């Protein structure tokens, strides 16, 4: 039985990442990646080896060591993945990214970084549900995918944000989400020094300290409170004026007051792809202000939005670039909906939350790897599907657009076909099926989980 087995086409796809691993480790990585793509159930190392026909491999511990012991640079891999995604899907223009957190529901005393958090999926405005698990903060490229005809969120950089209890028990300073976001966003800006980076986020990241820290590196777009304290810029200091310089000018009406005021100037625009749906007609009003809180401030462009049909509540947004068009601000922000779709897809199709690693290093590596696999599958599927793909559908289920399940099926087919037909010959002499391939087929049929 060979100690490593993987389809040849996968080595071509993964070639840009080979420089970050030793040669033996890279062979094991190829096997695990192929197993993670082909496995229909849990994404454990055992499941990956089973689907690859390697259930009896005596050196199986070498594959576990890829995650819990071997040395390889996750940050460099994330940078290379971002470079590939940008070259494929955003060759020019601004690079729009999204940042958000998700809870990986995990239990057990050996998972040290877990905490108790609000479950955003099961909770609502009137119902609070707590979940035990790991909190991940992920940065994704929000790019239009040609074969899908819509914007997808492609993860490339994910970090574990431990709980406050974890930091307290180890005598460390707890790092809030805004600190994690600041580090990750500035890192992405350094990776793309010649591109304009637009970052969209939800209310959790609408913090003056964060916006002030990153606004010279990336353009931030987030939601804004209706009662935010907005001021004019401080007036210029006069010659001979006594006292400390002013930090803010006159107080502006807050957004709740502007929403009710008949003097507010509204403009009707059409937003494409409204929260993952079709076009939406909305009224917008916008202006510039200094968002000020005692001791800290940041200049912003505020955007007030109300539905022309009156079907949803008014919303408010901010942008740290004062010169950007408010229509563009809203168009970039609505891409954020694809973040939630990606989190759901990686749970449904890539087995996030089904891992069973217990070591700290393996836990910190596995979930970011599976999230990154979502982007790799999208990248590889784009090469295989071409310009005019057709979604898989049944007589009772009509699909108009390609989904991630179609992309995953395409990549799986490429992996299986490369193995199935690579032994074909022109002559008619019988050729036995390789034992390793036969065991892989058997494992896929008999061990679906």
């Amino acid at each position: 039985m060979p100690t490593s087995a993987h389809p040849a086409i996968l080595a071509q796809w993964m070639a840009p990442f080979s420089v970050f691993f030793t040669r033996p480790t890279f062979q094991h990585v190829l096997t695990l990646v192929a197993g993670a793509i082909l496995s229909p159930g849990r994404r454990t190392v055992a499941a990956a080896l089973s689907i690859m026909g390697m259930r009896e491999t005596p050196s199986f511990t070498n594959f576990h060591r890829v995650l819990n012991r071997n040395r390889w640079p996750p940050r460099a891999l994330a940078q290379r993945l971002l470079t590939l995604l940008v070259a494929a899907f955003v060759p020019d223009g601004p690079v729009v990214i999204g940042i958000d957190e998700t809870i990986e529901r995990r239990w057990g005393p050996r998972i040290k970084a877990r905490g108790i958090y609000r479950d955003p999926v099961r909770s609502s405005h009137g119902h609070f549900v707590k979940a035990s698990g790991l909190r991940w903060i992920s940065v994704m490229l929000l790019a239009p995918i040609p074969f899908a005809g819509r914007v997808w969120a492609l993860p490339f950089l994910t970090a574990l944000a431990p709980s406050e209890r974890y930091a307290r028990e180890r005598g460390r300073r707890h790092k809030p989400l805004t600190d994690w976001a600041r580090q990750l966003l500035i890192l992405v800006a350094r990776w793309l020094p010649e591109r304009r980076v637009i970052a969209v986020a939800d209310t959790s990241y609408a913090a003056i300290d964060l916006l002030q820290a990153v606004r010279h590196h990336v353009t931030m777009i987030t939601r804004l409170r209706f009662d935010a304290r907005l001021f004019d810029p401080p007036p210029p200091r006069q010659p001979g004026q006594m006292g400390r310089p002013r930090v803010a000018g006159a107080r502006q009406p807050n957004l709740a007051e502007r929403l009710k005021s008949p003097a507010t100037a509204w403009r009707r625009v059409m937003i494409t792809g409204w929260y993952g749906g079709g076009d939406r007609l909305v009224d917008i009003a916008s202006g510039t202000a200094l968002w000020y809180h005692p001791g800290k401030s940041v200049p912003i462009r505020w955007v007030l939005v109300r539905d022309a049909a009156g079907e949803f509540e008014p919303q408010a947004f901010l942008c740290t670039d004062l010169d950007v068009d408010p229509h563009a601000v809203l168009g970039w922000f609505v891409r954020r909906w694809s973040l939630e779709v990606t989190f759901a897809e990686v749970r449904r199709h890539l087995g996030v939350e089904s891992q069973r690693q217990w070591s700290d290093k393996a836990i910190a590596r596995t979930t970011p790897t599976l999230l990154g696999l979502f982007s790799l599958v999208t990248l590889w599927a784009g090469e295989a599907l071409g310009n005019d793909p057709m979604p898989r559908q049944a007589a009772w289920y009509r699909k108009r657009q390609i989904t991630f399940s179609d992309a995953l099926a395409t990549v799986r087919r490429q992996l299986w076909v490369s193995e199935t037909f690579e032994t074909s010959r022109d002559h008619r002499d019988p050729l036995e099926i390789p034992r390793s391939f036969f065991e892989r087929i058997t494992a896929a049929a008999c061990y679906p989980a």
Side-chain angles (χ1 to χ4, degrees), residues 124-150:
S124 63
H125 292 290
H127 184 61
F128 185 86
V129 178
K130 294 187 289 186
S132 170
L134 302 169
R135 182 174 58 183
W136 300 93
I137 179 170
S138 183
V139 186
M140 309 187 192
L141 177 68
L142 306 181
I145 307 301
F147 64 80
R150 63 192 306 171

Side-chain angles (χ1 to χ4, degrees), residues 6-15 411 414-416 418-419 422:
H6 53 79
I9 191 174
L10 184 62
Q12 301 176 15
W13 288 341
M14 290 288 292
V411 173
Q414 293 290 316
L415 297 180
W416 282 116
S418 66
E419 283 284 287
E422 68 177 3

